[in-house]
Amino acid sequence: MLKPDQIPAHIGARRASMPINNVTKEGKALKHPAAKAPKIFADTGTIAEIRPLWEAGIINGVTTNPTLMKRAGATSWGMAKEMMQEIVSLMAPHPVSLELTELEADKMIIQAEELASFGDNVVIKVPVGGYEAANPNSDRHTGLKVLHALWQRDIQTNATLIFNTTQALFAAQAGASYVSPFLGRLADYMYKNDQVEMPAGNALYYLEDHKGGKENSRQHNTAYVAASGNRMDAGIRLIHEIAVVFANYDITTEVLAASFRNGVQIPECLLCGADILTIPAPLLMGVADHPLTDDGMKAFIEDSKAFES
Ligand code: E4P
């Protein structure tokens, strides 16, 4: 994996200048040891998935999108709004990203103001582009214009569907508080469209694992890990590139790594300088499990029986 001493020092300096995540209350003697730890968000619209993660102190925020709201059971915009409102209230004051569904700038701004009224912790998620793809008569810069208009209105934004560093830079220029590079979707795309028979570096996943066809090893052995960090997969490289560019130019827009596919991508993103990770709730729930922890725990419990009277 990327060695800590390979991380440019100014990425570390940028992190150190970021707001405190784990605040120690005044008067408390034992300071929180991870004050500047990166934030972890749950990527879900399902409150039943959010609650246990919130109660366990694992998450500091939530991201949603229309697909996640539909998956959570919303069958109308009215219902989606009620469900989003509930998440915003549960998570306050921690940020909750709510995505716009309108496609015209004026309507998007009105919709953003309505969603922002749900709470001070609302962050409006704005697709950075793709408007012409959705409607050929659309203005291609709709997303950037809306990000800028919301910055002028003091509404926090999350520029979503980021797949290259230029999109991230333009979003930051427009005033976005967060950018969401989608590492997993980029990886999926590369895997589907690249020529996997070409030497490693072209294919996303380690070639031998791919040929072996073992689903799990393929998922958990990314090119990045398989090459001991000497070769980054496209998603991880994207996160790293954005983090370096933002550090180079002292841009405080936070890099919110999104679209996770496996647990290995978590340390990869942290080593690359991501500020926040938004992780699907089911993955987040089990990612800290380890068979050796389970075995060790069973042995401790067994041995502690020796002390029973
Ligand atoms: C991010 O905010 C998105 O909601 C999400 O991470 C997309 O992930 P997917 O590629 O699994 O849909």
Side-chain angles (χ1 to χ4, degrees), residues 200-286:
N202 181 56
L204 171 69
Y205 296 104
Y206 193 44
L207 207 55
E208 284 174 21
D209 290 335
H210 171 68
K211 282 184 170 164
K214 269 185 74 184
E215 202 62 35
N216 281 344
S217 69
R218 195 182 73 198
Q219 277 193 354
H220 286 84
N221 201 3
T222 66
Y224 187 54
V225 170
S228 306
N230 292 326
R231 192 182 79 230
M232 290 184 189
D233 75 46
I236 297 299
R237 194 173 59 224
L238 172 62
I239 305 284
H240 192 231
E241 218 174 83
I242 296 172
V244 172
V245 169
F246 282 12
N248 284 349
Y249 294 96
D250 205 10
I251 293 170
T252 57
T253 299
E254 293 190 74
V255 182
L256 204 176
S259 181
F260 279 77
R261 295 290 179 263
N262 59 59
V264 170
Q265 289 166 334
I266 296 173
E268 287 173 351
C269 280
L270 296 176
L271 284 168
C272 284
D275 298 307
I276 308 170
L277 318 184
T278 186
I279 303 170
L283 176 60
L284 203 44
M285 196 60 92

Coordinates of all heavy atoms in Angstrom, one line a residue, residues 200-286:
A200 N -0.8 -6.1 -16.1 CA -1.3 -5.3 -14.9 C -0.9 -3.9 -15.1 O 0.1 -3.5 -15.5 CB -0.6 -5.9 -13.7
G201 N -1.9 -3.0 -14.7 CA -1.7 -1.6 -14.9 C -2.8 -1.1 -15.8 O -3.3 0.0 -15.7
N202 N -3.2 -2.0 -16.7 CA -4.3 -1.7 -17.6 C -5.6 -2.1 -17.0 O -6.6 -1.4 -16.9 CB -4.1 -2.4 -18.9 CG -5.2 -2.0 -19.9 OD1 -5.4 -0.8 -20.2 ND2 -5.9 -3.0 -20.4
A203 N -5.6 -3.4 -16.5 CA -6.8 -3.9 -15.8 C -6.9 -3.3 -14.4 O -5.8 -3.0 -13.8 CB -6.7 -5.4 -15.8
L204 N -8.1 -3.2 -13.9 CA -8.2 -2.7 -12.5 C -7.7 -3.7 -11.5 O -7.0 -3.4 -10.6 CB -9.7 -2.4 -12.3 CG -9.9 -2.1 -10.8 CD1 -9.3 -0.7 -10.5 CD2 -11.4 -2.1 -10.5
Y205 N -8.1 -5.0 -11.7 CA -7.8 -6.0 -10.6 C -6.6 -6.7 -11.0 O -6.2 -6.9 -12.2 CB -9.0 -6.9 -10.4 CG -10.2 -6.2 -9.9 CD1 -11.3 -5.9 -10.7 CD2 -10.3 -5.8 -8.6 CE1 -12.4 -5.2 -10.3 CE2 -11.4 -5.2 -8.1 CZ -12.4 -4.9 -8.9 OH -13.5 -4.2 -8.5
Y206 N -6.0 -7.3 -10.0 CA -4.7 -8.1 -10.2 C -5.1 -9.2 -11.2 O -6.0 -9.9 -11.0 CB -4.3 -8.6 -8.9 CG -2.9 -9.1 -8.9 CD1 -1.8 -8.5 -9.6 CD2 -2.6 -10.3 -8.2 CE1 -0.6 -9.0 -9.5 CE2 -1.3 -10.8 -8.2 CZ -0.3 -10.2 -8.9 OH 1.0 -10.7 -8.8
L207 N -4.3 -9.3 -12.2 CA -4.6 -10.2 -13.3 C -4.8 -11.6 -12.9 O -5.8 -12.3 -13.3 CB -3.5 -10.1 -14.4 CG -3.9 -10.4 -15.8 CD1 -5.0 -9.5 -16.3 CD2 -2.7 -10.2 -16.7
E208 N -3.9 -12.1 -12.1 CA -4.0 -13.5 -11.7 C -5.2 -13.8 -10.9 O -5.8 -14.8 -11.0 CB -2.7 -13.9 -10.9 CG -1.5 -14.1 -11.8 CD -0.3 -14.4 -11.0 OE1 -0.4 -14.8 -9.8 OE2 0.8 -14.1 -11.5
D209 N -5.6 -12.9 -10.0 CA -6.8 -13.1 -9.2 C -8.0 -13.1 -10.2 O -8.9 -13.8 -9.9 CB -6.9 -11.9 -8.2 CG -5.9 -12.1 -7.2 OD1 -5.4 -13.2 -6.9 OD2 -5.6 -11.0 -6.6
H210 N -8.0 -12.2 -11.2 CA -9.1 -12.2 -12.1 C -9.2 -13.5 -12.8 O -10.3 -14.1 -12.9 CB -8.9 -11.1 -13.1 CG -9.9 -11.1 -14.2 ND1 -11.2 -10.9 -13.9 CD2 -9.8 -11.4 -15.5 CE1 -11.9 -11.0 -15.1 NE2 -11.1 -11.4 -16.0
K211 N -8.1 -14.1 -13.2 CA -8.2 -15.3 -14.0 C -8.6 -16.5 -13.1 O -9.3 -17.4 -13.5 CB -6.8 -15.6 -14.6 CG -6.6 -14.8 -15.9 CD -5.3 -15.2 -16.5 CE -5.2 -14.5 -17.9 NZ -3.8 -14.6 -18.4
G212 N -8.2 -16.4 -11.8 CA -8.6 -17.4 -10.8 C -10.1 -17.4 -10.6 O -10.6 -18.4 -10.3
G213 N -10.7 -16.3 -10.9 CA -12.1 -16.2 -10.8 C -12.8 -16.3 -9.5 O -13.9 -16.6 -9.3
K214 N -12.0 -16.1 -8.4 CA -12.5 -16.2 -7.1 C -13.1 -14.8 -6.7 O -12.3 -13.9 -6.5 CB -11.5 -16.7 -6.1 CG -11.5 -18.2 -5.9 CD -10.5 -18.6 -4.8 CE -11.1 -18.2 -3.4 NZ -10.2 -18.5 -2.3
E215 N -14.4 -14.8 -6.6 CA -15.0 -13.5 -6.5 C -14.5 -12.7 -5.3 O -14.1 -11.5 -5.4 CB -16.5 -13.7 -6.3 CG -17.4 -12.5 -6.6 CD -17.3 -12.1 -8.1 OE1 -17.1 -13.0 -8.9 OE2 -17.3 -10.9 -8.3
N216 N -14.3 -13.4 -4.1 CA -13.9 -12.6 -3.0 C -12.5 -12.1 -3.1 O -12.2 -11.0 -2.8 CB -14.0 -13.5 -1.7 CG -15.5 -13.5 -1.3 OD1 -16.2 -12.7 -1.7 ND2 -15.8 -14.5 -0.4
S217 N -11.6 -13.0 -3.5 CA -10.2 -12.5 -3.6 C -10.1 -11.4 -4.6 O -9.3 -10.5 -4.5 CB -9.2 -13.7 -4.0 OG -9.5 -14.1 -5.3
R218 N -10.9 -11.5 -5.7 CA -10.8 -10.4 -6.7 C -11.3 -9.1 -6.1 O -10.7 -8.1 -6.3 CB -11.7 -10.8 -7.9 CG -11.4 -9.9 -9.1 CD -12.3 -10.3 -10.2 NE -13.7 -9.8 -10.0 CZ -14.7 -10.2 -10.6 NH1 -14.6 -11.2 -11.5 NH2 -15.9 -9.7 -10.4
Q219 N -12.3 -9.2 -5.3 CA -12.9 -7.9 -4.7 C -11.9 -7.3 -3.7 O -11.8 -6.1 -3.6 CB -14.2 -8.2 -4.0 CG -15.3 -8.2 -4.9 CD -16.6 -8.2 -4.2 OE1 -16.7 -8.3 -3.0 NE2 -17.7 -8.1 -4.9
H220 N -11.3 -8.2 -2.9 CA -10.5 -7.7 -1.8 C -9.0 -7.5 -2.2 O -8.2 -7.0 -1.4 CB -10.6 -8.6 -0.6 CG -11.9 -8.4 0.0 ND1 -13.0 -9.1 -0.4 CD2 -12.4 -7.6 1.0 CE1 -14.1 -8.7 0.3 NE2 -13.7 -7.8 1.2
N221 N -8.6 -7.9 -3.4 CA -7.2 -7.8 -3.7 C -7.1 -6.8 -4.9 O -7.0 -7.2 -6.0 CB -6.7 -9.1 -4.1 CG -5.2 -9.2 -4.0 OD1 -4.6 -8.2 -3.6 ND2 -4.6 -10.3 -4.4
T222 N -7.3 -5.5 -4.6 CA -7.3 -4.5 -5.7 C -5.9 -4.4 -6.3 O -4.9 -4.9 -5.6 CB -7.7 -3.1 -5.2 OG1 -6.7 -2.7 -4.3 CG2 -9.0 -3.2 -4.5
A223 N -5.8 -3.8 -7.4 CA -4.5 -3.6 -8.0 C -3.5 -2.9 -7.1 O -2.3 -3.2 -7.0 CB -4.7 -2.8 -9.3
Y224 N -4.1 -2.0 -6.3 CA -3.3 -1.2 -5.4 C -2.6 -2.1 -4.4 O -1.4 -2.0 -4.1 CB -4.3 -0.2 -4.8 CG -3.7 0.8 -3.9 CD1 -2.6 1.6 -4.4 CD2 -4.1 1.0 -2.6 CE1 -2.1 2.6 -3.6 CE2 -3.6 2.0 -1.9 CZ -2.6 2.8 -2.4 OH -2.0 3.8 -1.6
V225 N -3.4 -3.0 -3.8 CA -2.9 -3.8 -2.7 C -2.0 -4.9 -3.4 O -0.9 -5.2 -2.9 CB -4.0 -4.5 -2.0 CG1 -3.5 -5.6 -1.1 CG2 -4.8 -3.5 -1.2
A226 N -2.4 -5.5 -4.5 CA -1.7 -6.6 -5.1 C -0.3 -6.1 -5.5 O 0.6 -6.9 -5.5 CB -2.5 -7.1 -6.3
A227 N -0.1 -4.9 -5.8 CA 1.2 -4.4 -6.3 C 1.9 -3.7 -5.1 O 2.8 -2.9 -5.4 CB 1.0 -3.5 -7.5
S228 N 1.5 -4.0 -3.9 CA 2.2 -3.4 -2.7 C 2.2 -1.9 -2.8 O 3.1 -1.3 -2.3 CB 3.6 -4.0 -2.5 OG 3.6 -5.3 -2.5
G229 N 1.2 -1.4 -3.3 CA 1.1 0.1 -3.4 C 1.9 0.7 -4.5 O 1.9 1.9 -4.6
N230 N 2.5 -0.1 -5.3 CA 3.3 0.4 -6.4 C 2.5 0.8 -7.6 O 2.9 1.6 -8.5 CB 4.4 -0.6 -6.8 CG 5.4 -0.7 -5.7 OD1 5.7 0.2 -5.0 ND2 6.0 -1.9 -5.6
R231 N 1.3 0.3 -7.6 CA 0.4 0.7 -8.7 C -1.0 1.0 -8.1 O -1.5 0.2 -7.4 CB 0.2 -0.5 -9.7 CG -0.4 0.0 -11.0 CD -0.6 -1.2 -11.9 NE -1.8 -2.0 -11.5 CZ -1.8 -3.3 -11.3 NH1 -0.7 -4.0 -11.5 NH2 -2.8 -4.0 -11.0
M232 N -1.5 2.2 -8.4 CA -2.8 2.5 -7.8 C -3.9 2.2 -8.8 O -3.7 2.4 -10.0 CB -2.8 4.0 -7.6 CG -1.9 4.5 -6.4 SD -2.2 6.3 -6.2 CE -0.9 6.6 -5.1
D233 N -5.0 1.8 -8.3 CA -6.1 1.6 -9.2 C -6.7 3.0 -9.5 O -6.4 4.0 -8.8 CB -7.2 0.6 -8.7 CG -8.0 1.0 -7.6 OD1 -8.6 2.2 -7.7 OD2 -8.2 0.2 -6.7
A234 N -7.5 3.0 -10.5 CA -8.0 4.4 -11.0 C -8.7 5.2 -10.0 O -8.5 6.4 -9.9 CB -8.9 4.1 -12.2
G235 N -9.5 4.5 -9.1 CA -10.3 5.3 -8.1 C -9.4 5.8 -7.1 O -9.5 7.0 -6.7
I236 N -8.4 5.0 -6.6 CA -7.5 5.5 -5.5 C -6.6 6.6 -6.1 O -6.4 7.6 -5.4 CB -6.7 4.3 -5.0 CG1 -7.6 3.2 -4.4 CG2 -5.6 4.8 -4.0 CD1 -8.4 3.7 -3.2
R237 N -6.2 6.4 -7.4 CA -5.4 7.5 -8.0 C -6.1 8.8 -8.0 O -5.6 9.9 -7.8 CB -4.9 7.0 -9.4 CG -3.8 7.9 -9.9 CD -3.3 7.3 -11.2 NE -4.3 7.2 -12.2 CZ -4.5 6.2 -13.0 NH1 -3.7 5.1 -12.9 NH2 -5.5 6.1 -13.9
L238 N -7.4 8.7 -8.4 CA -8.2 9.9 -8.4 C -8.3 10.6 -7.1 O -8.1 11.9 -7.0 CB -9.6 9.6 -8.9 CG -10.7 10.7 -8.9 CD1 -10.3 11.8 -9.8 CD2 -12.1 10.1 -9.3
I239 N -8.5 9.9 -6.0 CA -8.6 10.5 -4.7 C -7.3 11.2 -4.4 O -7.2 12.3 -3.9 CB -8.9 9.4 -3.6 CG1 -10.1 8.6 -3.9 CG2 -8.9 10.0 -2.2 CD1 -11.4 9.2 -3.7
H240 N -6.2 10.5 -4.7 CA -4.9 11.0 -4.3 C -4.6 12.3 -5.1 O -4.1 13.3 -4.6 CB -3.8 9.9 -4.7 CG -2.5 10.2 -4.1 ND1 -1.3 10.2 -4.9 CD2 -2.1 10.6 -2.9 CE1 -0.3 10.5 -4.1 NE2 -0.7 10.7 -2.9
E241 N -4.9 12.2 -6.4 CA -4.7 13.4 -7.3 C -5.4 14.6 -6.7 O -4.9 15.7 -6.6 CB -5.2 13.1 -8.7 CG -4.3 13.6 -9.8 CD -4.8 13.1 -11.1 OE1 -5.8 13.7 -11.7 OE2 -4.3 12.1 -11.6
I242 N -6.7 14.4 -6.4 CA -7.5 15.6 -5.9 C -6.9 16.1 -4.6 O -6.8 17.3 -4.4 CB -9.0 15.2 -5.7 CG1 -9.6 14.8 -7.1 CG2 -9.8 16.3 -5.1 CD1 -11.0 14.2 -7.0
A243 N -6.5 15.2 -3.7 CA -6.0 15.6 -2.4 C -4.7 16.4 -2.6 O -4.5 17.4 -1.9 CB -5.7 14.4 -1.5
V244 N -3.9 16.0 -3.5 CA -2.6 16.7 -3.7 C -2.9 18.1 -4.3 O -2.3 19.1 -3.9 CB -1.7 15.9 -4.7 CG1 -0.4 16.7 -5.1 CG2 -1.2 14.6 -4.0
V245 N -3.8 18.1 -5.3 CA -4.1 19.4 -6.0 C -4.7 20.4 -4.9 O -4.3 21.5 -4.8 CB -5.0 19.2 -7.2 CG1 -5.6 20.6 -7.7 CG2 -4.3 18.5 -8.3
F246 N -5.6 19.9 -4.1 CA -6.2 20.7 -3.1 C -5.2 21.2 -2.1 O -5.2 22.4 -1.7 CB -7.4 20.0 -2.4 CG -8.7 20.0 -3.2 CD1 -8.7 20.3 -4.5 CD2 -9.9 19.6 -2.6 CE1 -9.9 20.3 -5.3 CE2 -11.1 19.5 -3.3 CZ -11.1 19.9 -4.7
A247 N -4.3 20.3 -1.7 CA -3.2 20.7 -0.8 C -2.3 21.7 -1.4 O -1.9 22.7 -0.8 CB -2.4 19.5 -0.3
N248 N -1.9 21.5 -2.7 CA -1.0 22.4 -3.4 C -1.6 23.9 -3.4 O -0.8 24.8 -3.3 CB -0.9 22.0 -4.9 CG 0.0 20.8 -5.1 OD1 0.7 20.4 -4.2 ND2 0.0 20.3 -6.3
Y249 N -2.9 24.0 -3.5 CA -3.5 25.3 -3.7 C -4.3 25.7 -2.5 O -5.1 26.7 -2.6 CB -4.3 25.4 -5.0 CG -3.4 25.2 -6.2 CD1 -3.3 24.0 -6.8 CD2 -2.7 26.3 -6.7 CE1 -2.4 23.8 -7.9 CE2 -1.9 26.1 -7.8 CZ -1.7 24.9 -8.3 OH -0.8 24.8 -9.4
D250 N -4.1 25.0 -1.4 CA -4.7 25.4 -0.1 C -6.2 25.5 -0.3 O -6.9 26.5 0.2 CB -4.1 26.8 0.4 CG -4.2 26.9 1.9 OD1 -4.6 25.9 2.5 OD2 -4.0 28.1 2.3
I251 N -6.8 24.5 -1.0 CA -8.3 24.5 -1.1 C -8.9 23.7 0.0 O -8.5 22.6 0.3 CB -8.6 23.8 -2.5 CG1 -8.1 24.7 -3.6 CG2 -10.1 23.5 -2.6 CD1 -8.2 24.1 -5.0
T252 N -9.8 24.3 0.7 CA -10.4 23.6 1.9 C -11.6 22.8 1.6 O -12.2 22.2 2.5 CB -10.7 24.7 3.0 OG1 -11.6 25.6 2.5 CG2 -9.4 25.4 3.5
T253 N -12.1 22.8 0.4 CA -13.2 21.8 0.0 C -12.7 20.4 0.4 O -11.6 20.0 0.2 CB -13.4 21.9 -1.5 OG1 -13.7 23.2 -1.9 CG2 -14.4 20.9 -2.0
E254 N -13.6 19.7 1.2 CA -13.2 18.4 1.7 C -13.4 17.3 0.6 O -14.4 17.3 -0.1 CB -14.0 18.1 3.0 CG -13.6 19.1 4.1 CD -14.1 18.6 5.4 OE1 -13.6 17.7 6.0 OE2 -15.1 19.3 5.9
V255 N -12.5 16.4 0.6 CA -12.5 15.3 -0.4 C -13.2 14.1 0.3 O -12.7 13.5 1.2 CB -11.0 14.9 -0.8 CG1 -11.1 13.7 -1.8 CG2 -10.2 16.1 -1.3
L256 N -14.4 13.9 -0.2 CA -15.3 12.9 0.4 C -15.3 11.6 -0.5 O -16.0 11.6 -1.5 CB -16.7 13.5 0.4 CG -17.8 13.0 1.4 CD1 -19.0 13.9 1.3 CD2 -18.1 11.6 1.3
A257 N -14.5 10.7 -0.2 CA -14.3 9.5 -1.0 C -15.6 8.7 -1.0 O -16.2 8.4 0.1 CB -13.2 8.6 -0.6
A258 N -16.2 8.3 -2.2 CA -17.5 7.7 -2.2 C -17.5 6.5 -3.1 O -16.5 6.2 -3.8 CB -18.5 8.7 -2.7
S259 N -18.6 5.7 -3.0 CA -18.8 4.5 -3.9 C -17.8 3.4 -3.6 O -17.0 3.0 -4.4 CB -18.6 5.0 -5.4 OG -18.8 4.0 -6.3
F260 N -17.8 3.0 -2.3 CA -16.9 1.9 -1.9 C -17.4 0.6 -2.3 O -18.6 0.3 -2.3 CB -16.7 2.0 -0.3 CG -15.8 3.0 0.1 CD1 -16.1 4.4 0.1 CD2 -14.5 2.7 0.5 CE1 -15.2 5.4 0.5 CE2 -13.6 3.7 0.8 CZ -13.9 5.0 0.9
R261 N -16.5 -0.3 -2.6 CA -16.9 -1.7 -3.0 C -16.3 -2.7 -2.0 O -16.8 -3.8 -2.0 CB -16.3 -2.0 -4.4 CG -16.9 -1.1 -5.5 CD -18.4 -1.5 -5.7 NE -18.9 -0.7 -6.8 CZ -19.7 0.4 -6.5 NH1 -20.0 0.8 -5.3 NH2 -20.2 1.1 -7.5
N262 N -15.3 -2.4 -1.2 CA -14.8 -3.3 -0.3 C -14.0 -2.6 0.8 O -13.7 -1.4 0.7 CB -13.9 -4.4 -1.0 CG -12.7 -3.7 -1.7 OD1 -11.9 -3.0 -1.1 ND2 -12.7 -3.8 -3.0
G263 N -13.6 -3.4 1.8 CA -13.0 -2.8 3.0 C -11.6 -2.4 2.8 O -11.1 -1.5 3.4
V264 N -10.9 -3.0 1.8 CA -9.5 -2.6 1.5 C -9.4 -1.2 1.1 O -8.4 -0.5 1.3 CB -8.9 -3.6 0.5 CG1 -7.6 -3.1 0.0 CG2 -8.8 -5.0 1.0
Q265 N -10.4 -0.7 0.4 CA -10.4 0.7 -0.1 C -10.4 1.7 1.0 O -10.0 2.8 0.8 CB -11.6 0.9 -1.1 CG -11.5 0.2 -2.4 CD -12.8 0.1 -3.2 OE1 -13.8 0.2 -2.6 NE2 -12.6 0.0 -4.5
I266 N -10.8 1.3 2.2 CA -10.8 2.2 3.3 C -9.4 2.7 3.7 O -9.1 3.9 3.6 CB -11.6 1.7 4.5 CG1 -13.1 1.4 4.1 CG2 -11.5 2.6 5.7 CD1 -13.9 0.7 5.1
P267 N -8.5 1.8 4.1 CA -7.1 2.3 4.3 C -6.5 2.9 3.1 O -5.7 3.9 3.2 CB -6.4 1.1 4.8 CG -7.2 -0.1 4.5 CD -8.6 0.4 4.4
E268 N -6.8 2.4 1.9 CA -6.2 3.0 0.7 C -6.6 4.5 0.6 O -5.7 5.3 0.3 CB -6.7 2.2 -0.5 CG -6.1 0.8 -0.7 CD -6.8 0.1 -1.8 OE1 -7.8 0.5 -2.4 OE2 -6.2 -1.0 -2.2
C269 N -7.8 4.8 0.8 CA -8.3 6.2 0.7 C -7.7 7.0 1.8 O -7.3 8.2 1.6 CB -9.8 6.2 0.8 SG -10.6 5.8 -0.7
L270 N -7.5 6.5 3.0 CA -6.9 7.3 4.1 C -5.5 7.6 3.8 O -5.0 8.7 4.0 CB -7.1 6.5 5.4 CG -8.5 6.3 5.9 CD1 -8.6 5.4 7.1 CD2 -9.2 7.6 6.1
L271 N -4.7 6.6 3.2 CA -3.3 6.8 2.9 C -3.2 7.8 1.8 O -2.2 8.5 1.6 CB -2.7 5.5 2.5 CG -2.3 4.6 3.7 CD1 -1.9 3.2 3.3 CD2 -1.2 5.2 4.6
C272 N -4.2 7.9 1.0 CA -4.2 8.9 -0.2 C -4.5 10.3 0.2 O -4.4 11.2 -0.6 CB -5.1 8.4 -1.3 SG -4.4 7.0 -2.2
G273 N -5.0 10.5 1.4 CA -5.3 11.9 1.8 C -6.8 12.3 1.7 O -7.1 13.4 1.8
A274 N -7.7 11.3 1.7 CA -9.2 11.6 1.7 C -9.5 12.2 3.0 O -8.9 11.8 4.1 CB -10.0 10.4 1.5
D275 N -10.4 13.2 3.0 CA -10.8 13.9 4.3 C -11.9 13.1 4.9 O -12.0 13.0 6.2 CB -11.3 15.3 4.0 CG -10.2 16.1 3.4 OD1 -9.1 16.2 4.1 OD2 -10.4 16.7 2.4
I276 N -12.8 12.5 4.1 CA -14.0 11.8 4.6 C -14.2 10.6 3.8 O -14.0 10.6 2.5 CB -15.3 12.7 4.5 CG1 -15.0 14.1 5.1 CG2 -16.5 12.1 5.1 CD1 -16.1 15.1 4.9
L277 N -14.7 9.5 4.4 CA -15.1 8.4 3.6 C -16.6 8.2 3.8 O -17.1 8.2 4.9 CB -14.4 7.1 4.0 CG -12.9 7.2 4.4 CD1 -12.4 5.8 4.7 CD2 -12.1 7.8 3.2
T278 N -17.4 8.0 2.7 CA -18.8 7.6 2.9 C -18.9 6.2 2.4 O -18.7 5.9 1.2 CB -19.8 8.6 2.2 OG1 -21.1 8.2 2.6 CG2 -19.7 8.7 0.7
I279 N -19.4 5.4 3.3 CA -19.3 3.9 3.1 C -20.7 3.3 3.2 O -21.4 3.6 4.1 CB -18.3 3.3 4.1 CG1 -17.0 4.0 4.0 CG2 -18.2 1.8 3.9 CD1 -16.0 3.6 5.1
P280 N -21.1 2.4 2.3 CA -22.4 1.8 2.4 C -22.6 1.1 3.8 O -21.6 0.5 4.3 CB -22.4 0.7 1.3 CG -21.3 1.1 0.4 CD -20.3 1.9 1.1
A281 N -23.7 1.3 4.4 CA -23.9 0.9 5.7 C -23.7 -0.6 5.9 O -23.0 -1.0 6.9 CB -25.4 1.2 6.2
P282 N -24.1 -1.5 5.0 CA -23.8 -2.9 5.3 C -22.3 -3.2 5.3 O -21.8 -4.0 6.1 CB -24.5 -3.6 4.1 CG -25.5 -2.7 3.6 CD -24.9 -1.3 3.8
L283 N -21.5 -2.5 4.5 CA -20.1 -2.7 4.5 C -19.5 -2.2 5.8 O -18.7 -2.8 6.4 CB -19.5 -2.0 3.3 CG -17.9 -2.0 3.1 CD1 -17.4 -3.4 3.1 CD2 -17.5 -1.2 1.9
L284 N -20.0 -1.0 6.2 CA -19.5 -0.4 7.4 C -19.7 -1.2 8.6 O -18.9 -1.3 9.5 CB -20.2 1.0 7.5 CG -19.6 2.1 8.3 CD1 -18.1 2.3 8.0 CD2 -20.4 3.4 8.0
M285 N -20.8 -1.9 8.6 CA -21.3 -2.7 9.8 C -20.3 -3.8 10.1 O -19.9 -4.0 11.3 CB -22.6 -3.3 9.5 CG -23.4 -3.8 10.6 SD -23.8 -2.6 11.8 CE -25.3 -2.0 11.3
G286 N -19.7 -4.4 9.1 CA -18.9 -5.6 9.3 C -17.4 -5.5 9.0 O -16.7 -6.4 9.2

